[in-house]
Amino acid sequence: MEYKNVIENKTFDEERALYNLKDTEVINCTFAGKQDGESVLKETRNISVKDCAFSLRYPLWHAKKYELIHSTFDEKTRAPIWYSDDGLIENCD
């Protein structure tokens, strides 16, 4: 996949923090915090998520053409991937 943007080393906790994100690599980011938002990566297209940690509900919903690599999901991450297709999931926990 080819990406136009990079988001790296950030923390997000708000609702739909990266909603409708397109053509982007998300690297070494944390999705957790006080606001306890949900659906942080909802309706994304052509994204790569690498080395990220998730501790929020419903992180990757309605995603198309995604990569999810070397990322972790804790017990707060309910239903992490729903209604998504054309994705690659590799070495996640």
Side-chain angles (χ1 to χ4, degrees):
M1 290 187 205
E2 190 173 317
Y3 307 102
K4 296 177 183 176
N5 307 301
V6 175
I7 298 172
E8 192 169 9
N9 302 318
K10 304 279 185 192
T11 298
F12 300 95
D13 68 346
E14 58 275 350
E15 180 105 4
R16 297 185 181 186
L18 299 177
Y19 177 79
N20 202 28
L21 189 69
K22 294 178 180 152
D23 304 318
T24 303
E25 286 183 283
V26 180
I27 303 168
N28 197 40
C29 290
T30 301
F31 296 90
K34 290 182 184 180
Q35 290 191 37
D36 195 31
E38 58 185 52
S39 301
V40 292
L41 288 164
K42 187 173 183 178
E43 295 191 20
T44 60
R45 303 289 180 266
N46 193 35
I47 65 165
S48 177
V49 178
K50 296 178 185 171
D51 302 311
C52 292
F54 291 89
S55 186
L56 299 173
R57 295 176 306 276
Y58 324 126
L60 200 68
W61 277 36
H62 300 279
K64 306 282 184 205
K65 295 186 180 180
Y66 67 93
E67 294 179 338
L68 183 57
I69 300 169
H70 296 287
S71 295
T72 60
F73 300 86
D74 73 8
E75 66 280 351
K76 292 180 185 177
T77 310
R78 297 182 311 198
I81 304 164
W82 276 39
Y83 312 112
S84 297
D85 61 37
D86 199 10
L88 168 71
I89 301 171
E90 189 174 274
N91 296 318
C92 292
D93 194 21

